[in-house]
Amino acid sequence: MSYIETKRNQVHVGRPLATDTVVATFLHGSTGPRRLLCVQPLANYQRAVNWALSMADYMAGPIELLPYESEEALQHALFMSEVHHLTFASDDPEVRLEARELFLSLADWPTIRERRKQ
């Protein structure tokens, strides 16, 4: 991942792989988790980078651009992030246990993708 410095901020840019079809733009606040701003076709990758560079100094935190294989893969990654958070951050032991079981059952994205194709 490349980190591009602007006058008062940063833009984090992931390098696309041959299988990627979309680019996700995330905003990081000064506190709290990052937020998904938009998802665009990978054909708009350079336009997304240019926009991020032009806007970074107006934002409270960095802008992050991440290519993904598909919107479905992105949604899976976001969901897994939430489940992972519950697994370790919940105060309720039952919630942590259920989240851990869910996390382990869903963690293998390539297998899930192959099952969906059948």
Side-chain angles (χ1 to χ4, degrees), residues 24-68:
T25 302
F26 293 92
L27 300 179
H28 292 257
S30 55
T31 61
R34 67 183 181 180
R35 300 287 180 207
L36 177 63
L37 176 65
C38 67
V39 180
Q40 304 176 57
L42 194 59
N44 294 349
Y45 178 81
Q46 190 58 52
R47 185 181 307 166
V49 171
N50 293 344
W51 177 86
L53 290 170
S54 72
M55 295 301 294
D57 290 332
Y58 300 102
M59 301 296 179
I63 299 174
E64 183 178 24
L65 301 169
L66 292 176
Y68 279 89

Side-chain angles (χ1 to χ4, degrees), residues 1 4 11 20 24 32 44 48 54 58-62 64 66 69 71 77 83 90 92-93 96 98 101 109 116:
M1 179 173 290
I4 304 169
V11 176
D20 291 336
N44 294 349
S54 72
Y58 300 102
M59 301 296 179
E64 183 178 24
L66 292 176
E69 179 181 313
E71 283 192 61
V83 172
S90 177
D92 185 337
R96 286 197 313 266
E98 287 180 30
E101 290 172 5
W109 170 244
R116 291 185 62 127

Side-chain angles (χ1 to χ4, degrees), residues 19-24 39-40 66-77 109 113:
T19 57
D20 291 336
T21 64
V22 297
V23 60
V39 180
Q40 304 176 57
L66 292 176
Y68 279 89
E69 179 181 313
S70 65
E71 283 192 61
E72 185 178 39
L74 168 63
Q75 293 303 322
H76 181 267
W109 170 244
R113 187 179 59 217

Side-chain angles (χ1 to χ4, degrees), residues 33-34 75-87 103:
R34 67 183 181 180
Q75 293 303 322
H76 181 267
L78 293 173
F79 178 72
M80 290 303 293
S81 174
E82 292 295 319
V83 172
H84 185 268
H85 177 74
L86 283 175
T87 301
F103 183 76

